[in-house]
Amino acid sequence: MVTFGILEPATFLSATTFSIVFHQGVVPCLVALAFLVPLTAGAFDLSVGGLLALSLSLCVFLNIATDLPILFIAVIALLATSAVGALSGFIVVRLRIDSFIATLGVSQLLLAGSILISGNSQIIGHFPDFWAALGIDRFLGAPIIIFFLLAVSLLLWFIFEHTRIGRYLFATGGNAEAARLAGVPTDRMIWGSLIASGFIAGLGGIVLSMQFAVFAPTTGPGYLFPAVTAVFLGASQFQQRPNVWGTLVAYFALAFGIQGLTLAAPSASAWSQPLFQGAALILAVALASRHLRQLRRGRHPRKTDPPSVRRSPAKAALR
């Protein structure tokens, strides 16, 4: 912010720049929050981009092919993405397939489904005026869709930080075996987190339909990497673990950096985004790995621990 504020004060520090960055950042942030939920339980959901694409494709296709109200179509899209999240949970929990592999496979199934729905071509919907207005209009000087993002963020923050479900999720992600021995329903936490991920990613597709009534088969995959980068970099903000506000701060920090570089050097617009995101992901994982190593060293039983703790790895982990 300081660097580009000095280099390009007239354009970078303008209301237009801030409006563009926040307006464009709502959907990627929703996808990042979708990725964040299962990560707190120690699971990866690499299908979040495909889930967004499925939601958007259903909204556009049903709008063209049926006379259903758009709100009913949105509910169908959310139910569909939540069902896919439940399928991912079944594969991970019941079939005992690693979440990384399972959701990577599901993402390809979703890509196939989106291509089938769209006929492997761009499709354009004709949504009601009020639906498009939600995507472009403002309230209190800010885009309306920003308030959708804030509502989801506040709800997730409250669940993570102030409810038993949040504590169970972090316990599962921290040490699933110790959490299970302590009575935490770890399988239920992982399964539920993947369903929640599907719902939030589907919500991102619905918001995207408000902004652009267009779907193309290439829409979804591009949202995965920014989401992963924001979540891992966000883990180094405020709390040394994945968290809601750190994720949002991390995403918009990268987004403003990319926008500033684009304004300062227009020729950089093609390569600035992958440069920022790639460097940020490497840095974020390095910081997270360092903190994780410190935590693991701290979990080893110490000579001063009671004998019962030294004999029980589970109790040592819980300690």
Side-chain angles (χ1 to χ4, degrees):
M1 296 295 288
V2 172
T3 300
F4 292 114
I6 294 173
L7 293 176
E8 299 289 336
T11 53
F12 184 72
L13 298 179
S14 66
T16 301
T17 296
F18 279 76
S19 177
I20 291 173
V21 171
F22 283 117
H23 189 269
Q24 294 178 345
V26 171
V27 173
C29 282
L30 285 172
V31 177
L33 293 177
F35 184 84
L36 170 67
V37 176
L39 187 66
T40 60
F44 291 91
D45 189 354
L46 300 184
S47 67
V48 288
L51 288 163
L52 177 140
L54 175 64
S55 175
L56 178 60
S57 63
L58 284 174
C59 285
V60 177
F61 175 78
L62 292 176
N63 172 253
I64 297 173
T66 71
D67 295 325
L68 294 173
I70 183 58
L71 293 178
F72 191 71
I73 291 175
V75 171
I76 293 175
L78 289 176
L79 290 175
T81 55
S82 299
V84 174
L87 174 63
S88 297
F90 175 82
I91 296 172
V92 172
V93 173
R94 296 302 185 196
L95 302 185
R96 298 297 175 184
I97 297 177
D98 183 83
S99 62
F100 190 96
I101 301 300
T103 57
L104 185 62
V106 169
S107 70
Q108 293 304 296
L109 298 178
L110 291 171
L111 176 60
S114 297
I115 292 175
L116 179 63
I117 291 173
S118 64
N120 199 25
S121 62
Q122 179 176 287
I123 54 177
I124 303 174
H126 304 283
F127 297 117
D129 292 341
F130 83 90
W131 194 253
L134 290 174
I136 60 176
D137 284 358
R138 298 171 177 275
F139 178 71
L140 298 179
I144 292 176
I145 54 176
I146 282 286
F147 296 97
F148 294 163
L149 175 62
L150 289 176
V152 174
S153 302
L154 284 169
L155 179 61
L156 286 180
W157 168 79
F158 180 79
I159 292 174
F160 286 157
E161 305 297 337
H162 298 284
T163 68
R164 180 179 298 179
I165 292 176
R167 292 192 292 272
Y168 282 0
L169 285 170
F170 284 116
T172 302
N175 190 319
E177 182 61 19
R180 186 185 65 80
L181 293 174
V184 176
T186 53
D187 286 348
R188 192 183 305 170
M189 291 297 104
I190 295 172
W191 202 331
S193 69
L194 288 168
I195 295 174
S197 177
F199 182 88
I200 298 171
L203 186 61
I206 290 172
V207 172
L208 192 59
S209 74
M210 297 174 182
Q211 296 177 300
F212 310 101
V214 179
F215 172 77
T218 57
T219 299
Y223 285 91
L224 175 61
F225 198 88
V228 174
T229 304
V231 170
F232 279 103
L233 183 59
S236 65
Q237 309 295 318
F238 307 128
Q239 298 168 316
Q240 293 301 317
R241 57 173 170 78
N243 65 93
V244 172
W245 305 120
T247 298
L248 299 187
V249 167
Y251 174 80
F252 284 112
L254 291 172
F256 275 107
I258 294 168
Q259 185 69 17
L261 187 58
T262 302
L263 292 172
S267 61
S269 59
W271 53 263
S272 59
Q273 184 167 345
L275 170 69
F276 267 69
Q277 292 173 350
L281 182 60
I282 294 171
L283 176 63
V285 172
L287 292 172
S289 299
R290 179 174 177 269
H291 180 66
L292 183 59
R293 288 194 298 270
Q294 292 174 344
L295 284 178
R296 285 175 175 171
R297 284 197 297 267
R299 284 177 183 154
H300 291 313
R302 296 174 293 193
K303 293 181 179 180
T304 56
D305 288 335
S308 60
V309 172
R310 293 200 301 269
R311 286 194 300 268
S312 172
K315 289 182 179 179
L318 286 171
R319 183 182 182 279

